[in-house]
Amino acid sequence: MNETLIEIKNLEVRFPVRSRGVLRRQTRYLRAVDDVSFDIRKGETVGLVGESGSGKTTVGRAILRAIDPTGGQVIFHTPQGDIDVSHLEGEDLRRFRRTMNLVFKAGPVELSRLSGESLRLFRPRMSLVFQDPYSSLNPRMTVRDIIAEPLVASGMMRNRDDVDARVRDMAARCKLNLEHLRRFPHAFSGGQRQRICIARALVSQPDFVVCDESVSALDVSIQAEIVNLLKDLQEEMGVAFLFIAHDLSVVAQMSHRVAVMYVGRFVEYAPTESLFFQPRHPYTHALLTAIPQADPDADFHPIRLTGEIPNPLAAPEGCRFHTRCPHAQDRCKADIPAWREIADAHFVACHFAEEFDFSRPRA
Ligand code: SF4
């Protein structure tokens, strides 16, 4: 799991903001993601946490090229040609070969530069599980057709028997009853629908999947089932996950490393244990103290952050957290804290991280 799969360097996503009225002139930009750098290893789960509006989903979608980054690089390190091309023919095969030249012979692929057909052919290597298992399934398609869609839409498989075999295999791995493949989504509960979403996301055997708040809409017991299923599938298939969530306790169960985001920037990124027991950023510390405790006698003193998360259109100068940070000093209002490695594989953006001791007792 030490081999890097995706490198994200100085990723930036800006959205134009237009004035009201007839002319709708572009007046300024909303910086949804600003100078974000990190890497994801093969077969690893990286958790991404932060309050609503911090830019977590935008990071996931920019990596998948569901939205176009406006700056920085997303570099996908690929193994040599393991896409099933046995049923490609004619123009599709020629296009695929051109893509293979681009994708594999040139070594790492800069995803942020792929476009058109090359991007379409590359898409099966990456996938997405959405938050809402109700609205993310087409009610007019059978479960079989929903799961088969990535294979058919990408042109990865054309032979119906092959598609059926792959769909049945994936459904079984996701613990779906094979007789249910002929049914429509309305017949299923939230947990079963999320299993269908996961089967659809993994049927093309991608290297990388973004799980965007994938368990947030589910009951706690179903959440645990889905988290265990994702972990089992990761072990079987070696897929890497970017697991986006606002529930830190779920992220801790699922992730090997965790990144914390605040108003479009990463503030801390570290191995899960290091981040949970030795956080170095005041924002991470505040989030951790707010995790509810199952034991009613446990020491529970959440740090109350005053004020709202700032509007990214008017993000504070200097450290973006200074308007709510209990440790802010004058320097924090003017200077942007550097993103630096403070301990082994533990990155933080705070001027005074060395001075804080937020260590937490291990259970
Ligand atoms: Fe707080 Fe200053 Fe550190 Fe930002 S740089 S987290 S405001 S102490």
Side-chain angles (χ1 to χ4, degrees):
M1 213 177 61
N2 289 329
E3 219 178 314
T4 301
L5 179 67
I6 304 176
E7 268 181 278
I8 295 101
K9 294 182 181 172
N10 310 108
L11 184 69
E12 180 191 281
V13 182
R14 295 190 300 174
F15 296 111
V17 179
R18 298 188 184 280
S19 62
R20 294 182 184 199
V22 183
L23 296 178
R24 293 187 50 74
R25 287 204 181 90
Q26 185 184 314
T27 52
R28 52 191 168 156
Y29 283 102
L30 184 152
R31 297 174 82 97
V33 176
D34 199 6
D35 200 14
V36 163
S37 299
F38 67 115
D39 66 289
I40 300 170
R41 299 176 191 143
K42 288 184 179 167
E44 173 186 49
T45 300
V46 170
L48 182 53
V49 295
E51 290 167 272
S52 298
S54 58
K56 309 183 292 292
T57 295
T58 310
V59 168
R61 291 182 181 225
I63 294 172
L64 294 178
R65 289 290 311 276
I67 51 178
D68 289 331
T70 46
Q73 293 176 298
V74 178
I75 299 168
F76 204 110
H77 294 263
T78 57
Q80 296 296 314
D82 57 355
I83 295 179
D84 182 350
V85 292
S86 51
H87 300 292
L88 287 183
E89 42 189 65
E91 185 55 27
D92 279 336
L93 184 56
R94 279 192 288 280
R95 278 197 300 247
F96 181 75
R97 283 192 177 136
R98 284 201 295 272
T99 309
M100 293 288 279
N101 282 340
L102 175 68
V103 169
F104 297 109
K105 292 196 179 147
V109 185
E110 195 175 328
L111 261 187
S112 27
R113 290 189 190 275
L114 284 186
S115 62
E117 194 58 21
S118 307
L119 182 59
R120 188 180 74 81
L121 286 166
F122 199 78
R123 281 207 189 283
R125 307 192 70 90
M126 312 175 291
S127 196
L128 177 67
V129 180
F130 297 93
Q131 173 175 2
D132 186 352
Y134 290 88
S135 61
S136 58
L137 297 178
N138 186 336
R140 293 184 187 83
M141 290 171 77
T142 63
V143 172
R144 181 263 175 210
D145 289 346
I146 288 170
I147 298 176
E149 198 177 13
L151 301 174
V152 177
S154 66
M156 197 174 161
M157 280 190 176
R158 292 281 163 85
N159 182 302
R160 192 174 171 87
D161 291 343
D162 291 346
V163 172
D164 278 339
R166 179 73 75 85
V167 168
R168 292 170 76 82
D169 172 59
M170 206 57 240
R173 286 177 191 237
C174 292
K175 303 187 174 54
L176 288 164
N177 190 329
L178 298 186
E179 288 174 9
H180 292 172
L181 292 175
R182 280 173 296 178
R183 295 190 187 170
F184 290 87
H186 70 264
F188 297 92
S189 66
Q192 285 172 316
R193 283 172 186 237
Q194 204 57 305
R195 287 175 191 275
I196 296 169
C197 293
I198 293 168
R200 175 178 60 184
L202 293 177
V203 73
S204 58
Q205 299 181 341
D207 299 310
F208 174 62
V209 175
V210 174
C211 298
D212 188 2
E213 303 276 10
S214 306
V215 296
S216 307
L218 305 174
D219 295 342
V220 177
S221 59
I222 309 293
Q223 275 187 4
E225 277 180 23
I226 297 295
V227 165
N228 289 336
L229 174 67
L230 287 171
K231 285 163 90 170
D232 290 346
L233 290 170
Q234 183 173 57
E235 214 169 296
E236 285 172 30
M237 303 174 71
V239 58
F241 291 120
L242 180 66
F243 191 81
I244 298 171
H246 56 265
D247 184 338
L248 273 169
S249 47
V250 177
V251 169
Q253 285 176 44
M254 186 69 204
S255 310
H256 300 97
R257 290 189 287 172
V258 178
V260 181
M261 224 178 154
Y262 187 78
V263 197
R265 288 196 184 139
F266 273 21
V267 297
E268 194 159 7
Y269 185 43
T272 304
E273 189 153 315
S274 179
L275 188 121
F276 273 71
F277 295 109
Q278 289 180 309
R280 308 302 285 264
H281 195 281
Y283 180 57
T284 312
H285 180 228
L287 291 181
L288 291 171
T289 62
I291 298 176
Q293 307 287 316
D295 179 0
D297 298 325
D299 208 15
F300 182 56
H301 299 293
I303 293 173
R304 292 183 205 288
L305 294 175
T306 52
E308 294 289 317
I309 184 168
N311 182 342
L313 271 174
E317 298 291 319
C319 173
R320 291 188 174 175
F321 187 52
H322 83 255
T323 54
R324 301 168 81 195
C325 179
H327 308 277
Q329 301 184 29
D330 284 346
R331 183 183 172 197
C332 307
K333 296 176 188 165
D335 299 341
I336 298 173
W339 180 243
R340 60 208 164 89
E341 190 169 10
I342 194 170
D344 191 21
H346 193 140
F347 294 83
V348 69
C350 169
H351 295 306
F352 308 106
E354 284 84 353
E355 297 171 23
F356 302 137
D357 181 9
F358 298 134
S359 303
R360 291 150 41 87
R362 288 159 205 259

